[in-house]
Amino acid sequence: MKLARNILLVDDEASWLRTLAITLQRFVPDADIDTCVDSRQVQNRLSVGDYALVLLDLTMPFHSGEELLAMIRSDFPNTRVIIVTGVNEVDTAVRCIKKGAYDYFIKTDNVEGLAHTVRRALEVVGLERNYLHIKERFLSRTLANPKAFNNILTCEPQLLDQFRYLEAVAFSSEPLLICGESGTGKTEFAKSCHHLCNPDAPFIGLNLNGLSSEAFEQKLFGQLYHHSNGEIDAVTGLLHQVGKGVLYLSEISALSLNAQAKLLELIESKQYSPLGSDTYYPVKCKFVLSTQEDLLKRHQAGTFRSDLLYRIRAHKIKLPSLADRPLDITMLINHFIALAAEELQLPPPIQPTDLAAKLANYAFPGNLHELKGMVFDAVSRSDGLALNTSAFMEAINEHKSLNQTPQDNIIFPKVLPTLAQMNQALMDEAMSRTANNQTAAAQILGISQSALSRRLKGH
C-alpha cells in the first residue's frame, strides 16, 4: 500500500478551484492536487484514486458537502476531509466536525492557515496509514515483494525482521536512517528501499565524508552562474536528477553543522532553490541516510544537531555485524566463492565443512568486506578442489596478535600440564602461527621438519 499524498478539491465554482489548487501547490509543493466540479463524481474518483485528503465545499448541486462527508468517512475511512466553504455558521461547523471532518475553514483570500492544516492533515494520514501497513506486514510474517531483497543473503531471523520492517516503511514520506558498522550492508538496504518504493525512478548516492557545506549545497541544489554578457550556465543538482527516486546520503555523521541546518530545512519544507536562483522547486524524492557512528553520542559531543537527529530517525534500521550472523557464514562463503571463481576464471573450490566452526569466535571487524576479501584470497590459493583456508587463519592470527599484549613469561595453570600435553600445545601453537606450514613451524620449535611431522603423526 503506497502512502498517498494526493489531495482532491471538490467545489462547483471552477474559478475558485483553480485559484485554490495553484495556491496550495505553492504552499504544499510535494502534494499531488486534483480538482472536481461535479459532486456526483466524487465517490467514483475516490474509488479509482487513493486520496489522502479531500477539501470539500458544503453548498453544491446534486450532493451537499455534508452528504459527501458522511459517505467519505463511511466508505473511505483512511481519507481525511477538510470543509472549505462560504457558510460561516457555528452550528454547521460543529455538526461537520462531529461527523468526522478534520477541520472547517471559511473561504477567504488568505489560505496560509488552510495550507498549514493541509500539511498537518497529510502528516496525520501518513502516520495512520504507515502504522496500519507496518501492523499488517508484521502480522503476516511474509514478504509481499521478496525480490527487493535478492541482493541480501541471510537466514538470520533478526535480518528477516528488518526486511519486513523496511517493506512496511519504504513508502513513507519520512526519511529512513540505516545504522551499522562498515561492511554490514547499508547500501544494499538502501537499494532494497529503492526497489520497494519506486524502482523505475533514479537511485542516486552521495558520500558525505569530506564534503564542505558549500559543496553539499551545490551538489544537492545545483547552481546558476550569471555572466556579465547576460548568459547563464547551470549545474544540475542531485535533487533535480533524482526526481521521485531515492537520494541516498551515506555517512550523515560527517556533515558539518551548517550543512545539517540546510538538510533539516530541506526535509521540513520539501522545497529547494538552486544557488543563484530565486525559483523554488518541490522535493519529491525519498531520503535514505546511513551512518556507522552513534548519532546520539555525536549530538552529546556537540557535533550533530538534535532537531535533525530526531527528524531523520522517524524510521530506523539497525544492521547487525557479521559476527552476530553465525547462521549466514557458510552461505556467504559459498556465495563469495562463486563470485571469486567467476572473476578469477578458476574452478570453484569446495568449502571445508569445519570452516564456519573455526570462524565462529572471530569478530570480523571488517564485516562483509573482510569476509569477501578472505574468500577471494583463499580461492586464488586453492588447487581447484578444496578451498585453501590459510587466508582465514592468517587473518585471524593477525588480529589476534594485534589485540594481544606480548608477554615474556609463560603463565602456567594451577594444575601443571604433563610434558606430553605441553609438547602438543607447542606444536599446535606453532602450526597455527604459520598457517599449518610444517617447515616454518619446525623452525620456530627448533627441530627438523621431519621430526615435527613424526610428532604430529604421534610416532
Side-chain angles (χ1 to χ4, degrees):
M1 178 181 72
K2 189 165 184 175
L3 299 181
R5 296 191 70 80
N6 294 357
I7 303 174
L8 181 63
L9 311 181
V10 183
D11 199 301
D12 60 322
E13 296 181 35
S15 60
W16 164 256
L17 270 185
R18 284 193 298 271
T19 302
L20 182 60
I22 293 171
T23 306
L24 280 180
Q25 195 70 77
R26 181 162 56 90
F27 283 104
V28 195
D30 54 320
D32 294 320
I33 299 175
D34 294 330
T35 60
C36 178
V37 296
D38 190 338
S39 61
R40 294 171 296 183
Q41 298 178 2
V42 172
Q43 187 166 18
N44 183 58
R45 295 283 290 273
L46 292 175
S47 299
V48 174
D50 185 16
Y51 291 96
L53 186 62
V54 176
L55 271 60
L56 192 61
D57 186 23
L58 287 181
T59 55
M60 295 179 293
F62 307 113
H63 297 295
S64 71
E66 289 193 52
E67 288 179 55
L68 292 176
L69 170 62
M71 180 274 294
I72 294 170
R73 295 307 295 153
S74 172
D75 298 348
F76 305 95
N78 292 326
T79 299
R80 293 283 180 156
V81 178
I82 295 176
I83 303 297
V84 184
T85 180
V87 180
N88 190 3
E89 297 176 355
V90 175
D91 291 344
T92 303
V94 171
R95 190 166 61 248
C96 289
I97 296 297
K98 286 183 176 180
K99 287 183 177 180
Y102 183 82
D103 212 332
Y104 189 101
F105 279 87
I106 306 301
K107 290 181 179 178
T108 64
D109 292 334
N110 183 7
V111 294
E112 287 192 30
L114 173 60
H116 177 73
T117 298
V118 166
R119 290 195 66 86
R120 190 170 68 244
L122 288 174
E123 295 293 335
V124 169
V125 173
L127 289 172
E128 289 176 344
R129 293 187 177 196
N130 198 34
Y131 168 75
L132 291 173
H133 191 47
I134 292 174
K135 182 179 178 181
E136 175 187 330
R137 296 308 318 142
F138 268 84
L139 287 177
S140 71
R141 304 297 293 176
T142 59
L143 292 171
N145 190 358
K147 289 184 179 179
F149 302 95
N150 282 350
N151 55 336
I152 304 172
L153 294 177
T154 187
C155 56
E156 286 284 352
Q158 57 180 326
L159 263 185
L160 296 176
D161 281 342
Q162 298 288 29
F163 286 2
R164 285 186 283 271
Y165 177 76
L166 179 57
E167 192 174 63
V169 304
F171 295 119
S172 170
S173 60
E174 294 299 308
L176 169 68
L177 178 63
I178 305 175
C179 303
E181 298 173 6
S182 175
T184 51
K186 297 186 290 295
T187 299
E188 298 305 323
F189 262 80
K191 291 178 179 178
S192 293
C193 180
H194 170 247
H195 187 100
L196 288 166
C197 66
N198 203 347
D200 297 326
F203 174 90
I204 297 179
L206 177 63
N207 191 310
L208 303 177
N209 263 322
L211 209 61
S212 67
S213 179
E214 295 76 15
F216 173 74
E217 288 185 65
Q218 186 190 50
K219 282 187 173 294
L220 257 63
F221 304 151
Q223 186 167 4
L224 298 183
Y225 294 94
H226 300 268
H227 300 289
S228 57
N229 60 3
E231 292 184 356
I232 298 176
D233 289 331
V235 175
T236 304
L238 297 183
L239 289 169
H240 177 78
Q241 297 174 33
V242 75
K244 293 184 178 181
V246 167
L247 182 59
Y248 174 48
L249 303 178
S250 59
E251 301 310 324
I252 187 68
S253 61
L255 208 56
S256 68
L257 289 171
N258 287 337
Q260 290 174 32
K262 293 291 182 182
L263 179 59
L264 176 64
E265 182 182 357
L266 180 68
I267 294 174
E268 291 284 357
S269 67
K270 295 188 182 296
Q271 59 181 353
Y272 73 98
S273 176
L275 301 179
S277 171
D278 296 327
T279 304
Y280 281 85
Y281 299 92
V283 175
K284 296 191 175 183
C285 67
K286 169 81 174 180
F287 285 100
V288 179
L289 312 102
S290 72
T291 180
Q292 54 181 308
E293 302 288 341
D294 187 328
L295 295 184
L296 188 57
K297 289 183 178 178
R298 286 296 186 104
H299 162 58
Q300 292 170 344
T303 59
F304 204 87
R305 295 174 61 103
S306 61
D307 45 8
L308 179 61
L309 170 61
Y310 297 116
R311 190 68 180 82
I312 64 176
R313 68 179 202 174
H315 303 303
K316 180 182 176 182
I317 287 176
K318 179 69 169 70
L319 298 183
S321 66
L322 183 57
D324 293 326
R325 297 170 55 183
L327 298 179
D328 292 341
I329 297 296
T330 298
M331 177 173 57
L332 288 168
I333 290 175
N334 282 333
H335 171 68
F336 291 138
I337 286 175
L339 291 181
E342 181 179 359
E343 184 173 317
L344 300 174
Q345 297 183 347
L346 295 171
I350 298 173
Q351 177 183 173
T353 56
D354 62 343
L355 179 57
K358 291 181 178 178
L359 298 172
N361 296 321
Y362 184 56
F364 284 105
N367 293 293
L368 291 169
H369 297 324
E370 182 179 13
L371 179 61
K372 182 179 180 181
M374 284 180 173
V375 174
F376 270 64
D377 190 17
V379 170
S380 69
R381 300 187 191 188
S382 300
D383 57 9
L385 297 176
L387 183 69
N388 188 316
T389 60
S390 298
F392 299 93
M393 298 304 107
E394 288 172 6
I396 291 173
N397 290 329
E398 284 176 7
H399 286 287
K400 188 185 295 184
S401 63
L402 287 174
N403 296 326
Q404 287 180 341
T405 302
Q407 294 180 346
D408 295 330
N409 300 322
I410 298 175
I411 299 177
F412 292 100
K414 185 175 182 180
V415 178
L416 287 176
T418 64
L419 288 175
Q421 290 172 332
M422 284 297 297
N423 282 335
Q424 185 63 47
L426 281 171
M427 289 189 294
D428 290 344
E429 181 65 20
M431 291 293 287
S432 174
R433 292 189 182 189
T434 59
N436 295 321
N437 186 315
Q438 290 190 14
T439 301
Q443 290 177 350
I444 292 176
L445 295 172
I447 59 178
S448 67
Q449 186 272 331
S450 58
L452 175 60
S453 179
R454 287 195 302 273
R455 295 189 186 195
L456 289 172
K457 291 177 182 179
H459 299 304

